[in-house]
Amino acid sequence: MDSEALRKYSALHPKPAGLTLQYGTAGFRTKAELLDHIVFRMGLLAILRSKAVAATIGIMVTASHNPEEDNGVKLVDPLGEMLHPSWEEYATQLANAEEQELQKVVTEICQKAAVNLHKEASVFIGRDTRPSSEKLSQSVIDGIQVLGGQYHDYGLVTTPQLHYMVCCQNTQGQYGKATLEGYYEKLSKAFMELIKQSHCSGESQRHLKIDCANGIGALKLSEMKSYFPQEMLIHIYNDGTKEKLNHLCGADFVKVHQKPPGGLDMKPNERCCSFDGDADRIVYYYKDTAGHFHLIDGDKIATLISIFLKELLAKVKQNFKMAVVQTAYANGNSTRYLQETLKVPVHCVKTGVKHLHHKAQEFDVGVYFEANGHGTVLFSKAAETKIRQLVKEEKDEEKREAAKMLENMIDLINQTVGDAVSDMLVIEAILALKGLTVQQWDALYSDLPNRLLKVQVADRRVIDTTDAERRALTPPGLQEKIDALVKMYKLSRAFVRPSGTEDVVRIYAEADTQENADALAHEVSLAVFHLAGGKGAPPQP
């Protein structure tokens, strides 16, 4: 390691005094002007990680659904998955090291993680459309070059596209070609193969309005348009030419405010969807003839995909184990519908994509979505091999056709991470194949009314939870209080959990009516305020 070069370059990317940041599920995120030293150091870390695992690592410069002024950076592990938890610690140490300790921290990481500095290293870089992203990815490159690594800068890509490229590269092309063309070709080919088998002539023209959050999704969808079949008519809104990224639009805005985005004019019963700023989340919605807004969130997307996959799995008659993975935020009626009507096992895990992804890997077919619209489907190696074998060798026509559809689903789904473009094509194909309208999809079950609140506290660590965050262990008396409150309302449940990023406690409540859900959420927030060290004035109803 060239200590002189490290010292010289590090001085060009100085750390602001007193700033400490934590690497979380979303990597690092903060105001863009505070990130220069962080991204430089993540360039260093990506090289160390690459040398440690002898594979290509990804670095994505994005702050997803955050405001345009923010930015962030996260690392992608060899199979397109999130950075290993032990390396999240190293990322935090490296980011917060003072200038004069930087070399020492790098050396310590090398020792702890058995990094051989003489090994080759390679990194793939991607960035979103924020004004600050280009300069920050240049700082990433500085970090990479100090430690003498190879890199390929993909420039503007969606977050899931970068995850995809990294996976393709490290599977020697088995997962696909590590180029944008390779991504577009693989997905569009699988999509066309699937909808070839749809017999619904009623909606031969598949109109879909897409709100791209004024982000990268608009650019990449425009590039992909020429790969789509004629009958797929997509109309792109909030394409970034006029307004700010994520401002009054995007999946997060629509989900939180339960209303359509600005910049998209909705007619009754039109199918619409929204991506988030880096295109790894998607939600659908429509307005009925009475003008009421209907949101179709991640829970309902998981349900639609599960119905379709379960039917196909029944036809191929292999004993594949299928399950849906949710978090405590999943609507109670979605869980009921999956377990009682569809008879699909449902598992609840802690909030955060990495927990869902990890659990989904335990099954032959693992479907996971967060209510916010981030999710995908994972197929085990054994299931994938068997399905591809049935396509080639199965004599029974019905079985072979079902296997063929499953094979196309495997190719259409981005298994590395939630991907709005891929998920959108999966949903569009299923609706076409089942001849379903957006209203029929929505009518599978009705969501229980719910309410999300947050309470500011002096220290979020006073709350400790168990049972996938559904029960509070501390402070004493809080869970008993919540249990007593829940008993007062029909079809109700409530839970509290500390935020991962700020001194806030998040509260979720659902009940038979909106009025009751609101009342329950308020009473639970008062209990949190009094028992967990609330700050400021008590919550008002």
Side-chain angles (χ1 to χ4, degrees):
M1 177 166 54
D2 183 344
S3 13
E4 190 43 44
L6 182 60
R7 205 176 52 75
K8 196 178 98 193
Y9 270 95
S10 180
L12 297 174
H13 304 283
K15 173 180 176 290
L19 180 73
T20 54
L21 289 171
Q22 177 89 26
Y23 192 103
T25 302
F28 290 108
R29 265 186 215 176
T30 185
K31 292 274 168 275
E33 63 271 16
L34 299 175
L35 272 170
D36 185 59
H37 70 294
I38 298 259
V39 292
F40 165 72
R41 292 170 182 202
M42 289 308 101
L44 301 174
L45 191 74
I47 290 295
L48 300 181
R49 180 71 178 147
S50 174
K51 288 174 189 282
V53 293
T56 296
I57 295 296
I59 285 202
M60 185 70 198
V61 176
T62 182
S64 188
H65 55 276
N66 281 34
E68 189 169 87
E69 308 63 75
D70 292 358
N71 217 323
V73 61
K74 57 181 175 185
L75 272 68
V76 179
D77 253 359
L79 293 177
E81 69 277 62
M82 295 166 102
L83 183 62
H84 191 277
S86 62
W87 280 73
E88 288 184 6
E89 296 267 315
Y90 301 150
T92 302
Q93 286 162 13
L94 197 57
N96 296 324
E98 292 307 329
E99 212 74 25
Q100 61 280 9
E101 293 177 339
L102 195 58
Q103 167 129 24
K104 187 173 126 242
V105 174
V106 169
T107 310
E108 276 171 12
I109 294 170
C110 289
Q111 283 164 349
K112 279 188 204 151
V115 177
N116 177 351
L117 283 172
H118 303 295
K119 282 239 166 90
E120 299 280 292
S122 96
V123 177
F124 282 180
I125 308 164
R127 65 172 194 270
D128 71 9
T129 55
R130 290 163 198 272
S132 58
S133 291
E134 190 169 2
K135 188 171 172 300
L136 289 172
S137 61
Q138 206 40 63
S139 303
V140 169
I141 293 170
D142 281 356
I144 290 168
Q145 289 181 318
V146 170
L147 290 181
Q150 300 289 314
Y151 69 90
H152 180 82
D153 184 2
Y154 281 93
L156 292 164
V157 286
T158 69
T159 296
Q161 284 175 335
L162 186 76
H163 284 256
Y164 176 91
M165 307 294 181
V166 171
C167 184
C168 291
Q169 180 70 12
N170 291 316
T171 55
Q172 285 69 51
Q174 270 182 299
Y175 194 65
K177 281 208 286 276
T179 62
L180 277 173
E181 293 69 40
Y183 172 91
Y184 296 144
E185 279 163 9
K186 180 181 172 182
L187 268 63
S188 57
K189 181 172 171 285
F191 177 71
M192 307 238 271
E193 285 293 318
L194 269 172
I195 60 164
K196 251 206 293 217
Q197 292 154 302
S198 87
H199 310 298
C200 82
S201 49
E203 270 192 272
S204 58
Q205 300 281 7
R206 305 286 298 172
H207 282 275
L208 176 66
K209 289 185 168 179
I210 306 168
D211 152 36
C212 288
N214 290 311
I216 184 71
L219 282 179
K220 299 297 134 182
L221 262 187
S222 307
E223 287 174 11
M224 197 175 180
K225 250 181 161 175
S226 60
Y227 293 83
F228 290 143
Q230 266 72 41
E231 58 270 29
M232 173 90 185
L233 287 180
I234 60 171
H235 309 274
I236 296 173
Y237 295 83
N238 296 323
D239 63 0
T241 52
K242 300 183 202 60
E243 293 287 337
K244 277 171 76 165
L245 176 70
N246 295 325
H247 182 60
L248 303 179
C249 61
D252 202 57
F253 172 84
V254 173
K255 168 81 180 142
V256 171
H257 296 279
Q258 304 269 328
K259 64 179 188 187
L264 186 150
D265 147 52
M266 284 172 78
K267 296 192 176 61
N269 296 333
E270 277 186 331
R271 221 171 42 259
C272 306
C273 68
S274 284
F275 292 3
D276 71 336
D278 64 341
D280 64 357
R281 294 182 184 185
I282 184 170
V283 294
Y284 270 69
Y285 44 92
Y286 68 98
K287 253 186 190 157
D288 61 26
T289 39
H292 297 303
F293 175 79
H294 295 254
L295 175 73
I296 300 179
D297 64 4
D299 299 338
K300 239 172 212 170
I301 293 173
T303 304
L304 178 73
I305 294 173
S306 301
I307 291 172
F308 185 67
L309 291 176
K310 188 169 189 247
E311 285 172 4
L312 292 176
L313 292 171
K315 285 179 184 164
V316 294
K317 298 185 171 64
Q318 302 292 317
N319 261 332
F320 290 140
K321 272 175 48 196
M322 175 179 164
V324 176
V325 187
Q326 296 183 324
T327 70
Y329 286 110
N331 195 279
N333 277 355
S334 76
T335 314
R336 249 179 230 112
Y337 180 86
L338 286 162
Q339 285 176 326
E340 293 166 17
T341 308
L342 264 192
K343 305 276 188 278
V344 170
V346 177
H347 296 265
C348 185
V349 296
K350 278 167 69 169
T351 305
V353 178
K354 59 184 173 192
H355 303 298
L356 290 140
H357 195 90
H358 190 71
K359 187 71 184 172
Q361 287 171 323
E362 294 177 17
F363 308 98
D364 290 312
V365 181
V367 180
Y368 76 81
F369 270 83
E370 290 187 291
N372 64 26
H374 185 287
T376 187
V377 184
L378 305 184
F379 293 86
S380 70
K381 258 287 147 264
E384 183 177 331
T385 308
K386 186 69 194 163
I387 288 163
R388 295 196 193 275
Q389 185 195 343
L390 288 171
V391 173
K392 289 198 186 79
E393 299 168 9
E394 180 54 58
K395 301 281 184 282
D396 179 86
E397 195 185 353
E398 192 190 20
K399 263 194 195 177
R400 194 177 61 247
E401 284 304 306
K404 184 96 193 82
M405 277 198 179
L406 282 168
E407 181 176 52
N408 286 319
M409 283 295 276
I410 290 170
D411 289 335
L412 184 52
I413 289 161
N414 184 346
Q415 293 185 57
T416 63
V417 70
D419 180 339
V421 175
S422 156
D423 290 339
M424 173 193 88
L425 293 172
V426 166
I427 292 162
E428 290 300 305
I430 295 173
L431 293 175
L433 285 161
K434 294 189 70 64
L436 286 174
T437 63
V438 68
Q439 299 82 341
Q440 289 168 315
W441 173 20
D442 187 32
L444 288 172
Y445 63 83
S446 11
D447 279 325
L448 278 172
N450 56 81
R451 178 63 63 210
L452 279 161
L453 294 176
K454 53 186 183 185
V455 174
Q456 290 220 297
V457 291
D459 181 2
R460 67 178 184 270
R461 288 169 304 189
V462 300
I463 298 232
D464 190 21
T465 63
T466 183
D467 186 23
E469 301 178 311
R470 289 176 290 191
R471 298 190 68 75
L473 291 170
T474 61
L478 179 60
Q479 188 57 53
E480 291 73 9
K481 182 73 182 155
I482 295 171
D483 290 342
L485 291 167
V486 164
K487 282 202 180 98
M488 294 160 59
Y489 300 95
K490 277 195 192 135
L491 296 176
S492 67
R493 69 184 182 103
F495 67 89
V496 301
R497 55 179 285 272
S499 156
T501 48
E502 48 187 335
D503 280 321
V504 161
V505 175
R506 301 193 187 281
I507 288 143
Y508 178 88
E510 58 187 32
D512 57 342
T513 66
Q514 190 61 56
E515 203 179 351
N516 286 346
D518 290 349
L520 176 58
H522 173 63
E523 284 166 7
V524 171
S525 73
L526 282 174
V528 168
F529 183 85
H530 293 302
L531 293 169
K535 267 173 74 177
Q540 296 303 308

